[in-house]
């Protein structure tokens, strides 16, 4: 199972370190409103897909609360069918769907989970609810 904070599942973007810091900065700035994951990871971890309206705790490199997001959309599509609209919503500066695919394929290859055109990708859209630990104090962790 994925870690929980305040009873909510966590959203750990990329790998800890510089990449996660950069991605979290994009989320907290409102630039990154989507993320992609591998469907196989859900089965391996015994997790269900996120649900629209579910809140997730965005974690930093030390797995501490960096913010809270609310899921606004979830779709599972083959890697080759991820849309440019979705890829642009990831806010990572890709200039084309081909560039997005190349970058994501390289990332998943580096972390030991290479993808093919048929690999099922979980496309999650979200909105920032709160940044930093203030979300805990103001009760933003709840529904």
């Amino acid at each position: 199972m994925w870690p929980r904070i305040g009873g909510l599942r966590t959203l750990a973007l990329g790998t800890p370190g510089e990449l996660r810091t950069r991605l979290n900065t994009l989320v907290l700035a409102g630039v990154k409103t989507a993320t992609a994951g591998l469907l196989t990871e859900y089965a391996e971890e015994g997790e269900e897909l996120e649900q629209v309206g579910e809140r997730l705790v965005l974690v930093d490199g030390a797995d501490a609360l960096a913010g809270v997001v609310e899921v606004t959309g979830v779709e599972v599509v083959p890697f080759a069918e991820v849309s440019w609209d979705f890829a642009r919503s990831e806010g990572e500066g890709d200039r084309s769907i081909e560039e997005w695919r190349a970058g994501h394929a390289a990332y998943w290859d580096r972390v030991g989970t290479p993808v093919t055109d048929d690999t099922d990708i979980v496309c999650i859209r979200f909105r920032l609810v709160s940044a930093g630990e203030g979300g805990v104090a103001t009760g933003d962790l709840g529904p």
Side-chain angles (χ1 to χ4, degrees), residues 66-122:
V68 177
V69 299
E70 183 176 314
V71 176
T72 60
V74 180
E75 181 181 26
V76 178
V77 297
F79 183 65
E81 294 179 27
V82 172
S83 72
W84 174 230
D85 178 63
F86 176 82
R88 227 181 7 250
S89 297
E90 283 209 82
E92 297 173 26
D94 295 309
R95 294 168 292 193
S96 69
I97 189 63
E98 294 79 16
E99 188 175 315
W100 179 91
R101 286 189 181 116
H104 280 68
Y107 168 78
W108 282 315
D109 193 48
R110 277 194 312 276
V111 297
T113 52
V115 297
T116 67
D117 283 351
D118 296 325
T119 300
D120 284 328
I121 304 298
V122 180

Side-chain angles (χ1 to χ4, degrees), residues 5-94:
I5 295 177
L8 300 180
R9 290 194 278 183
T10 57
L11 177 60
L13 299 173
T15 50
E18 186 178 316
L19 176 60
R20 182 165 303 158
T21 298
R22 182 173 67 82
L23 296 176
N24 283 355
T25 299
L26 292 170
V27 171
L28 298 173
V31 174
K32 181 174 179 62
T33 59
T35 193
L38 301 175
L39 183 61
T40 56
E41 292 176 343
Y42 289 79
E44 291 168 2
E45 294 290 330
E47 290 287 346
E48 293 182 13
L49 291 179
E50 289 79 2
Q51 301 293 315
V52 171
E54 181 180 0
R55 290 192 174 181
L56 306 171
V57 175
L58 181 69
V59 295
D60 63 18
D63 291 328
L65 184 142
V68 177
V69 299
E70 183 176 314
V71 176
T72 60
V74 180
E75 181 181 26
V76 178
V77 297
F79 183 65
E81 294 179 27
V82 172
S83 72
W84 174 230
D85 178 63
F86 176 82
R88 227 181 7 250
S89 297
E90 283 209 82
E92 297 173 26
D94 295 309

